Every structure is written in structure tokens, then in C-alpha cells.
Amino acid sequence: MTKLTFVRSRHPLSCVAAGALLTVTLAVLPALAVAQSAARSAEPVTLNFNNAEIDAVARTFASITGRNVVVDPRVKGTLTLVTDQPVSRAAAMGQFVAALRLQGFTLVETDGLYKVVPEADAKLQSARVNVQSDDDSNLPSGNQIATQIFKLNFESANNLVPVLRPLISPNNTINANPGNNSLVITDYADNLRRMGRIIAAMDVANATDVEVIALQHAIASDLAPLVLRLLGSSSSAAPAGQADTSFKTTLIAEPRSNSLILRAANGAQLALARSLVARLDQPEAGSNNGAAGNIHVVYLKNADATKIAATLRAAISGSAVSAGAPTGAPGTAGGAIAQATTGGQIQADVATNSLIITAPEPQYRQLRAVIDKLDGRRAQVFVESLIAEVSADRAAEFGIQWQGPLGKAGDGVIGLLGSNFGTGGKNIINLAIGGATGAVAPGRGLNFGAAQQTNGVYVLGFLARFLEDSGSGNVLSTPNLLTLDNEEAKIVIGQNVPFVTGQFTNTGGSSNGSVNPFQTIERKDVGLTLKVKPQISENGTVKLAIYQEVSNVLASSVNAPNGPTTNKRTIESNVLVEDGAIVVLGGLLQDEYSGNEEKVPGLGDVPLFGNLFKSEARTRKKTNLMVFLRPVVVRDAQATDRLSMDRYDLMRAGLEAAQPAPSRLVPINEAPQLPPAPPRPAANGTPAPLLAPGQ
């Protein structure tokens, strides 16, 4: 064995950089070089670099480790690296990487190649990725950069990011993946090990297990909101704009077993909840171990007290009869039930919408379980209906009439010759008479005629009439209404029109012969009527009992002697509709055609020439009427609020678009508008006013 010592020199050496002193013990026997390669890699080295260039030091460590080292061109500067005692080659490599880290550089390993790069770029070039486990031996040495994935079991990844971000190097990263609740951290290996210990300490279950507390005296549905309010959990809320991922104490009443289901945020909340329940679960004052005579008041939230009272009496009466309970033994359970039935021990107080129940504790608990189910918030149904009516009318008329004398005998006419048709209104005879009296009123369309003067009066002798008429109508009605489940609702949009039902004249009872006529009148709604009674099934299907009517007064019969005539279209049906689906209730597709022709026999059939001796009129009328309906189930207050605000904003937009155009000549340039939608109720439950002050 030979000891080789390289002394510092002004000129570079063949194996080390200038300005460095390296003492290495090597084997000089060529025959033993291969056999002793492993032993040579474990031999200690002594480092003495003083202000040496980084790239030169990197080449030296390449020869020590036997691996290629690439230095990024942006890595510039010198470093000082001195060891007082010989150290292992791995320790020397660690000191080299630590010295690089202090100057903002680092060493990354990729496929057996070492690269010296700036620290900011290391996270993009490091190939080491480790998934968190109990063993972190896969991580590189402490001063090398790697990426590690931490999977969380309890805590939210988003909540840990702001806590861990200050503990990570500024040039490295931490990211949260909400999909699988994990953290991806790229940093130095020694810091990753520290992050692992911090995350393990914070990723613990805060909430307790679910616990069921059986009650002996109190009612679960009464006790649950009281205990939850005392615990203060109902007032906690997340800051604005942030998701509330913290654990909360949850307390739910289970009426069937009269128990409370508790899941506390921590052990202290669990102990406090148990203590409160134990103190409040006490028998009522004055009760004698559940004996009859206890009076309870139950305030209802949604249901009608009168209806609930009648339902409970019927249910208790039916159960007592079916069980064959005696009615004359008040000391028994059957007697208590009968007493509650026959004695009227379930009464409704309409003013407070509450029930007054006189029953022992076991029966009262049974009644409360039924009341809690019946007093739930009922769903509502918003019914949108659309009535579309499209009509088209067309008419065409053509006719020629003429009239003339055949001769004269003195001043009298001895004969007439011509055609006279009544199609399209007045005939030529009436028009001629009207012309003689000065009241000529030709019909509609193009009228072409000739008149002759007789005794100074012009009399119509020839008339040709051409008419083509077309008309169309589009009526669209969209009545909407909101109603409770299984409750009928009605909306009427129209007029209340009087109809004469009788006339009487009384002339015989008066001595002075005065007449006292009078009429009896009945008023009826004419317009649009919609009556709906929805019933929601468990699977979301809505059954609708519908009555829809569209009626109007015929304009030509307003002043008729027998009273006005109404056009009426009615649909009455029961249908099943899915929530939010559109169903067609029914409709009318009507196509009418009528034709009328008047002609002179024989002459009117002559081709082309026969048109001078005939008159023809044709009309066609098409009517399409369809009724569509769409029910939307509204199950909670939030859905009702969203629906109401959507319709409110729709109306505001329509009114804003209908504002009058500015005008200086007509100074009224503003129409009434709906105010902006009111804000949501405040924390204390006080609703905001619909209209702002002064509106």
C-alpha cells in the first residue's frame, strides 16, 4: 500500500483542482485493482478546498464517486470545504451538497447522473418521488431535493397548506389535491422528514364516534334543539368565502326509540352533551310515575292543530277498538287510551296552533312520535301552465250584379232585366234604392259599378265586387301558481260578466197605474281559470287534479236581446307528471271551410262569360289550441327562495325593458319599477322589507 499526498500548487494537478489538498490511500498493485474496488470506495478522504471554483470541485467529486457530474452554466462562484479529520466518501458528498445549498445551488440525481443546478430549478429536474409510508428510507440524503406525497386520513389538505407553506423553502412547492385529500410537497429530504412528523401530528380524528343516548322521561324531539343550542354548535359558521371543513357537534332526535344520536366535535363537547342530557332527562314535576292526568302542550310548526287533533282522536279510537281495550278501567293502559278518546283529552288551540294533550307518559310519547311525523314541513308545487292558441281566417268573394229597364210606357218602367245576388252583403236592388235616397253603402273590397240618371236621380245599374280577406291571431297565456302538497289552488284572470236570468213587470199592484219592471242578473267569471290539486309521491312523481277553463264573450253578442254569448274551452283531468317535466293536457285542432255560390242558371255555367252572371264567396278558418303544464316540486325554504327570486328578477327585467323613451315634448319619461330584490334574512331571522323606504 502506498500513501499519495497531493500538495497545493499554483498549477493544476492531473486529478484534483488547483488550490486543493487531497490525501488518499490507494492500492498500487494493478493485479489487485478490481478485487479492491469496493474497499477503495469505502476508504476515507480529507477535503481541503479554499475558494475553489464550483465546477472544479464538482469534477473532483466525480472522480471520488465514480459518477459523471454535470454543472449547469448558471452555477458560478467559489466555495470553501475543509475537513479536519478523514471522513467517508458519503459524508464528504453530503458536505459538498450542503455547501452548495448555502449558496443557492443543489445536486440532483437522474438515472445515475449528478447535476449541479440552481435551487429554483431543482424541483423540475429531480426524479425522486416518494409516497408517504412508515419507512422513509426511500428519500435521498438530507440536502437533496425530492418530491413526497402525503395522504391524509382526517384533516383537510386545503386546511394544512397555509400552515405548512411557511416551513418550506421559498423556491420549493406545496400543493393540495382535494380529489383524494393529499399533499404534494417538493423540498429538501431533511425538511420532508420534518413535514412528515408535523403532518402525522395534525392528521388526527377530532370528532368522536357516534353515540346513542336513550331517554327515559324527556321527548327526544324536544330535547335535541335545546341541548344543541346550549352547546353553541348552531352558531358556528365558516368565514365568508371559505368552506367550513371543521368538525361540528351533531345531535339528532330519533323519535321511534326516543333517543338522541350524538357525534361530538371533541371529548369535551361529548362530556358536556352527556351532562346536559342527564340533567334535562328528568320526570315532570307533579307526575306520579307516569300516572294519568299529565297535561302537555305541543306547539306545531307546520300542520294545522285542528286537523291534527281530529286525526289523533281517530287514530287512538281505532287502535283502542281494534285492541279490545276496556273503556271503564282508567287505571289500565287501555282505559287511558279510551279516556283520551272519549273524554276529548286531545284538544286544539286555534289561537296558538297548538295541541293540549292529557295522557300518561307512555301514551304521550307515542302521540309525540306521531305528531313529529305529521308536523313536518310539507313540500310545495309550483305549477306553470301554458295556453297557446293560433288561429288563421281567410275569405274571398267575387260577384257581378247588374240591373236595367227593358223599356218605357210614358214615365213608368215596363220591365226589368238583370241579376241580383245577396252574397257579401246588400244586393244591387237595395243599393239602387239607397242611391235613390242618397244613402249608398257599398260592401267591402273593390266595388266597380255604373249608374244611370233617372228623373234627375242616379240609380245603380251595374256592380262588380272583388274581396280577399285574411286574418290571424296568436293568444298565449301563462298562468302560474304555487300551492302546498295535497291542497287545491285556484287562479282566475278575467271579468265578472252579468247575465240576465229573468225579467218581471208589476202593473196590477199600484193604484196609480205605475209600472215597476226589474231584472234578475247572475254574474259569472269569464276569462282564464286554473284549479290544481297536486299530490307528491315518494318517488317524485306528481299527481295533478286539474280544471282549466278559457272563456270569452263573443263581441257581436254584447248587445244581444237575450244576453251575451260566451265561447268556452274547458279541460278537467287527472294526470301523472314527473317533477319538472312538461305534459300536454289537451287541445283543439279545428279546420272549418264554407263556400257559397249564386248564379243565373245556364248563363252562370258558360266558361269565362258566365262570371258576369254569378257571385261566389269562400271562407276558411283554422284554430289550434293546446294546453301544456309543468309542475316543479319545491321541498325547502332555499328552493322556494331561489324560485321566487328568479321570477322576481324576470319581472324586473321586463319592466325595465318597457320603460318609455325619453321625450322633451312629453315630460313623463319614467314608469313604475320593481325595487331590487331584498337581501336574505339577517342572522337574527328578521326579514328585510320588500320595498325600500320612500318607494
Side-chain angles (χ1 to χ4, degrees):
M1 302 293 290
T2 302
K3 181 177 181 180
L4 300 179
T5 303
F6 298 93
V7 185
R8 179 178 179 182
S9 175
R10 295 294 181 182
H11 302 285
L13 301 177
S14 59
C15 61
V16 297
L21 176 63
L22 175 63
T23 303
V24 186
T25 303
L26 301 174
V28 297
L29 297 178
L32 299 177
V34 177
Q36 295 180 348
S37 59
R40 185 171 62 248
S41 62
E43 292 178 355
V45 296
T46 301
L47 306 179
N48 187 10
F49 294 96
N50 186 16
N51 292 328
E53 296 292 335
I54 293 178
D55 57 348
V57 178
R59 288 195 298 271
T60 302
F61 275 93
S63 64
I64 293 176
T65 59
R67 294 188 180 183
N68 294 327
V69 178
V70 178
V71 181
D72 192 285
R74 293 170 294 177
V75 178
K76 302 293 183 180
T78 61
L79 58 80
T80 298
L81 187 60
V82 179
T83 58
D84 296 334
Q85 300 293 332
V87 296
S88 64
R89 297 175 183 242
M93 191 66 176
Q95 293 183 17
F96 173 56
V97 177
L100 290 174
R101 179 178 177 181
L102 294 176
Q103 299 195 33
F105 309 117
T106 189
L107 184 73
V108 296
E109 181 181 0
T110 305
D111 297 331
L113 177 67
Y114 285 150
K115 294 186 290 186
V116 181
V117 297
E119 183 184 81
D121 293 346
K123 58 181 176 291
L124 303 177
Q125 302 188 33
S126 177
R128 285 289 186 93
V129 178
N130 185 41
V131 179
Q132 180 191 25
S133 60
D134 296 335
D135 185 11
D136 56 1
S137 60
N138 293 329
L139 290 174
S141 60
N143 290 306
Q144 293 189 31
I145 289 181
T147 300
Q148 183 157 352
I149 301 174
F150 297 89
K151 295 183 178 180
L152 306 180
N153 298 319
F154 305 101
E155 186 57 72
S156 171
N158 290 326
N159 291 346
L160 288 184
V161 169
V163 177
L164 301 178
R165 174 70 261 185
L167 305 178
I168 297 174
S169 303
N171 290 327
N172 295 319
T173 60
I174 176 174
N175 295 289
N177 180 15
N180 59 357
N181 196 35
S182 61
L183 293 171
V184 181
I185 303 177
T186 300
D187 203 1
Y188 290 98
D190 55 355
N191 200 32
L192 288 178
R193 293 183 175 91
R194 184 171 67 127
M195 291 294 103
R197 293 190 294 270
I198 295 175
I199 293 173
M202 300 182 67
D203 185 27
V204 295
N206 292 328
T208 63
D209 293 335
V210 176
E211 184 168 339
V212 179
I213 304 177
L215 301 180
Q216 301 297 327
H217 306 284
I219 303 299
S221 57
D222 291 342
L223 200 58
L226 178 60
V227 174
L228 197 60
R229 188 182 306 172
L230 293 174
L231 291 175
S233 300
S234 58
S235 60
S236 60
Q242 298 183 11
D244 188 6
T245 57
S246 61
F247 290 101
K248 292 182 178 181
T249 298
T250 304
L251 189 64
I252 302 175
E254 206 286 301
R256 187 184 62 85
S257 60
N258 194 38
S259 58
L260 298 175
I261 302 175
L262 173 65
R263 184 174 184 264
N266 47 58
Q269 287 275 302
L270 177 62
L272 179 59
R274 286 177 175 171
S275 175
L276 291 174
V277 171
R279 293 180 182 181
L280 295 175
D281 187 23
Q282 301 294 331
E284 293 186 3
S287 62
N288 185 15
N289 296 327
N294 295 331
I295 301 178
H296 308 271
V297 179
V298 181
Y299 295 94
L300 302 182
K301 302 179 181 65
N302 301 286
D304 184 270
T306 304
K307 295 181 180 179
I308 293 294
T311 302
L312 292 177
R313 294 192 196 103
I316 295 177
S317 176
S319 62
V321 173
S322 61
T327 59
T332 63
I337 294 177
Q339 182 182 1
T341 303
T342 59
Q345 299 301 308
I346 301 177
Q347 296 293 336
D349 182 64
V350 180
T352 59
N353 194 38
S354 59
L355 296 174
I356 303 174
I357 302 175
T358 303
E361 284 294 329
Q363 281 72 32
Y364 173 65
R365 289 201 187 102
Q366 295 177 2
L367 292 174
R368 278 303 305 269
V370 177
I371 293 172
D372 292 339
K373 292 182 179 180
L374 297 178
D375 192 31
R377 179 187 177 94
R378 296 169 62 184
Q380 301 181 92
V381 179
F382 181 72
V383 181
E384 297 177 293
S385 62
L386 186 148
I387 306 169
E389 181 176 357
V390 180
S391 61
D393 300 340
R394 296 187 62 189
E397 296 181 13
F398 169 78
I400 295 178
Q401 303 179 64
W402 55 274
Q403 201 70 232
L406 289 179
K408 294 183 178 180
D411 291 335
V413 178
I414 62 173
L416 293 174
L417 179 64
S419 59
N420 184 33
F421 306 127
T423 303
K426 295 182 178 180
N427 52 40
I428 194 171
I429 297 288
N430 294 333
L431 290 176
I433 296 173
T437 59
V440 179
R444 297 181 303 160
L446 176 62
N447 295 276
F448 176 76
Q452 62 180 357
Q453 187 178 19
T454 303
N455 296 329
V457 178
Y458 288 96
V459 179
L460 187 63
F462 170 80
L463 176 63
R465 185 166 183 265
F466 305 90
L467 172 65
E468 185 172 351
D469 185 15
S470 63
S472 61
N474 185 357
V475 180
L476 184 65
S477 302
T478 56
N480 303 327
L481 54 89
L482 181 68
T483 181
L484 280 173
D485 179 27
N486 217 22
E487 295 286 346
E488 184 180 282
K490 178 181 179 181
I491 181 172
V492 177
I493 304 172
Q495 296 176 323
N496 195 256
V497 180
F499 291 87
V500 178
T501 58
Q503 296 181 351
F504 300 91
T505 302
N506 184 7
T507 58
S510 177
S511 59
N512 57 5
S514 62
V515 179
N516 185 23
F518 65 93
Q519 295 178 335
T520 59
I521 297 176
E522 179 184 5
R523 291 186 173 270
K524 295 183 179 180
D525 293 330
V526 176
L528 191 148
T529 302
L530 173 64
K531 290 194 295 185
V532 177
K533 183 178 182 180
Q535 183 178 354
I536 306 172
S537 62
E538 289 295 331
N539 59 359
T541 303
V542 183
K543 179 184 177 183
L544 297 172
I546 305 164
Y547 175 82
Q548 183 132 29
E549 176 184 308
V550 179
S551 58
N552 63 289
V553 177
L554 190 63
S556 60
S557 65
V558 173
N559 298 321
N562 297 326
T565 302
T566 57
N567 297 323
K568 187 175 181 180
R569 303 176 183 91
T570 302
I571 295 177
E572 187 171 2
S573 178
N574 296 315
V575 296
L576 288 176
V577 194
E578 297 297 328
D579 181 14
I582 297 177
V583 64
V584 57
L585 298 183
L588 170 66
L589 302 178
Q590 186 176 7
D591 194 346
E592 300 179 7
Y593 170 81
S594 63
N596 185 23
E597 184 182 62
E598 295 178 321
K599 63 182 178 179
V600 178
L603 295 177
D605 297 329
V606 177
L608 188 60
F609 182 75
N611 292 326
L612 298 175
F613 301 95
K614 68 179 179 181
S615 178
E616 187 175 4
R618 296 180 182 180
T619 60
R620 184 175 183 181
K621 182 178 181 181
K622 296 179 66 175
T623 302
N624 296 334
L625 173 65
M626 298 298 291
V627 179
F628 301 90
L629 188 139
R630 176 177 179 260
V632 178
V633 178
V634 184
R635 298 188 180 275
D636 51 26
Q638 291 77 12
T640 305
D641 184 69
R642 288 195 302 269
L643 179 64
S644 301
M645 291 301 100
D646 176 73
R647 295 303 185 268
Y648 192 85
D649 294 339
L650 181 63
M651 292 299 299
R652 289 192 73 242
L655 291 178
E656 290 177 358
Q659 287 294 308
S663 174
R664 294 184 178 180
L665 299 177
V666 185
I668 300 177
N669 296 320
E670 294 182 359
Q673 297 185 37
L674 287 174
R680 300 297 184 269
N684 58 1
T686 303
L690 181 63
L691 295 177
Q695 291 184 335

